[in-house]
Amino acid sequence: MAIPRLRALRFFLPIAMLVASVVLPSHAFAATTYYVRTDGGTDEQCNGRADAPYPGSGNGVDCAWSHPNYALPTNDRPRIDGGDTLIIGPGDYMIGWESPGLSTKSLRCDRSSPYDCYPAAPPSGTPQQRTRILGAGFDAGCKAPPRLWGTNRVDLVFNLQDADNVEVGCLEITDKSDCVEFHANDEVRCERDAPPFGQWASIGIGAKRSRNVWLHDLNIHGLSGRGVMAGGLRDWTIERVRIHANGWAGWDGDVGEGESSNDGDIVFRNVEIAWNGCAEHWQTGEPFACWAQEEGGYGDGLGTGKTDGHWLVEDSRIHHNTSDGLDLLYTDESKTATVVVRRVYAAANAGNQVKTAGNALIENSVIVGQCAYFHKKYEMSDGDMCRAYGNALSIGVGPKQTATVRHNTITGEGDCLILTAGGNQTSRVDIYNNALIGQKDVTASDGDMRSCAHYADDSTAVVNFDGNAFWNVKDDMCPPGNVCGREPKIASLDIANFDPAPLAGSPLIDHATQNTSVTSDFLRQSRPMGAAADIGAIEYQGGQASAPASPPPEGSKAAPAKVEGNASNDTSGASAPRQGSALIIGTLAAASLLTAGVAAAMRKGRGRKS
């Protein structure tokens, strides 16, 4: 579903301000802090400039507004300026038709179009001074974020279309309905055709054509469609954000042909993307009625349209989504797109766990391809399990491109642990120091019933294996220069309780033979700790390390370490995707797209057929 466009409206500024803006740069103006709280007043009663309740009488009083609509009205003429801060107090704020503060002069929101009754986008700030929309307590741990909840089939709860230089933090974004839009089950499907529609919203955050945005400390869950639908972005950073149990997808970057490609640095740090493709019982948070493409749904945790940009996904957990977990297959190989996946826990997604294309680096990650997790659970169709044959890691490369897979622990019950596709003899895939652990292949019908370690699908790319450990894989694959046929001795081989921490005496310990710049592990522990680095994602520290279960509990040692702000990365000398690509992947070269045949073959639904 395309995100509706906002009409281009501008402020009617006083002449004095217009004159001043010619003389002074925009960031020279003093910013104002405005407040919203549930006991505030209307825009006539309060000016929004004090964190105080409406006293009960008077107009233009120094007190807070009672609803975000007064700051960002649906007539798309905000009452705050670029660079200002809006602080929203604790409590619930209904977004949509019949919510307080709807503009009577809106050109898009009225009784006949309740889906368009979402707030205006914040006015753009400057690179030096972002416009900030923050929940109270954003600077003290965000312990009680205000809840913005959508109703009456509103398209968006939070609007970032055409918004540049904006910070959004410390908010819960959801609705108060169990329904999913267009769901195959009549009892779960949302009412769209006639009122009363119910208390549901389609998208949590919607964005197009937006630059330099920082999202942090957000809980986006239970929407009938997508948690986030955002494309045409440049330089976005997403930190400490949870995207959970949204009925169609978690983060959908396909906002329309020709409008979806991103650019600059797109950073996901310390995010959790889970259970998307499932409905959510809004009162308990429990997922149910999970579905995906065979039933007419979608189900990716994170997916994009064709995109450029330098993508960094690190210290994150992506699990139990009903299709692919992290799908960055559609990065544009004809441009300078790069992908870095670092210290990511990807598990129990019903399709592929991680997909990349073009110049890519996957390191220090735990990838558990339990693609049949949903079998006989949550009403999921068996036809949607192990989509694209459930390969745990799927890598596409084009001519003159390099993908590096190093220091990961990868297991899976799909066809193969690693699938490579595309490219030619100028393309490279370097697979170094990984623990590759097979399981029973649930997609197999005869022959060797174990998952294969690697399969090159319609690809002549050069694939190099060195310093890896192979165990329990189809046909006992194990090229020279790798540890072959030795039980890895990790805390748990069982895919349902997989724990990759090496135990004392494990052949993974000190047996990585490829020198790399990786100086820490999945848990940010020092690497190496002995004569050489260990094979796999976790470096043995002399005792049993705490490693991920399914998934690692929030706040546990196994959960990715929290990285505040834009702290530098200490793993391989890279702190941003562009720098990481330059230092790790190598000098980028102009390269052509995969051929049309290979590109078509790599679309969802295709996979190895033999």
Side-chain angles (χ1 to χ4, degrees), residues 159-348:
N159 178 9
L160 283 173
Q161 296 180 92
D162 297 296
D164 299 338
N165 308 308
V166 173
E167 174 187 348
V168 182
C170 194
L171 298 173
E172 179 182 359
I173 297 175
T174 188
D175 65 17
K176 293 186 178 182
S177 171
D178 293 353
C179 77
V180 171
E181 202 167 8
F182 304 109
H183 199 283
N185 184 339
D186 291 346
E187 296 181 359
V188 180
R189 188 183 308 128
C190 298
E191 173 57 56
R192 300 183 77 256
D193 298 329
F197 300 110
Q199 296 180 331
W200 64 272
S202 183
I203 297 166
I205 294 178
K208 282 186 183 180
R209 302 173 299 274
S210 177
R211 299 178 298 172
N212 188 28
V213 168
W214 180 25
L215 304 181
H216 63 88
D217 303 291
L218 302 176
N219 183 9
I220 305 167
H221 66 98
L223 282 305
S224 73
R226 282 84 167 165
V228 178
M229 194 161 187
L233 315 177
R234 183 182 181 94
D235 296 328
W236 271 45
T237 299
I238 299 95
E239 295 180 301
R240 301 182 301 279
V241 171
R242 176 180 183 260
I243 304 174
H244 189 273
N246 299 286
W248 273 78
W251 182 293
D252 186 349
D254 189 352
V255 298
E257 188 173 354
E259 298 184 287
S260 297
S261 184
N262 308 288
D263 203 355
D265 294 337
I266 310 296
V267 178
F268 287 79
R269 182 178 290 122
N270 216 272
V271 302
E272 181 180 24
I273 304 175
W275 296 98
N276 296 289
C278 297
E280 181 189 63
H281 288 298
W282 75 271
Q283 291 177 310
T284 65
E286 295 178 8
F288 75 105
C290 299
W291 67 321
Q293 296 175 59
E294 289 294 317
E295 299 294 318
Y298 178 23
D300 273 5
L302 184 152
T304 71
K306 188 174 180 180
T307 182
D308 197 9
H310 303 279
W311 293 76
L312 171 64
V313 183
E314 66 179 5
D315 297 304
S316 296
R317 301 184 299 156
I318 302 172
H319 60 92
H320 296 95
N321 298 287
T322 65
S323 190
D324 297 326
L326 176 62
D327 185 355
L328 291 174
L329 184 63
Y330 305 116
T331 50
D332 191 342
E333 297 93 348
S334 70
K335 298 185 179 179
T336 60
T338 60
V339 176
V340 175
V341 176
R342 179 183 293 126
R343 293 186 303 276
V344 166
Y345 176 78

Side-chain angles (χ1 to χ4, degrees), residues 148-168:
L148 310 184
W149 62 275
T151 190
N152 283 311
R153 61 165 294 200
V154 69
D155 275 345
L156 314 174
V157 176
F158 199 95
N159 178 9
L160 283 173
Q161 296 180 92
D162 297 296
D164 299 338
N165 308 308
V166 173
E167 174 187 348
V168 182

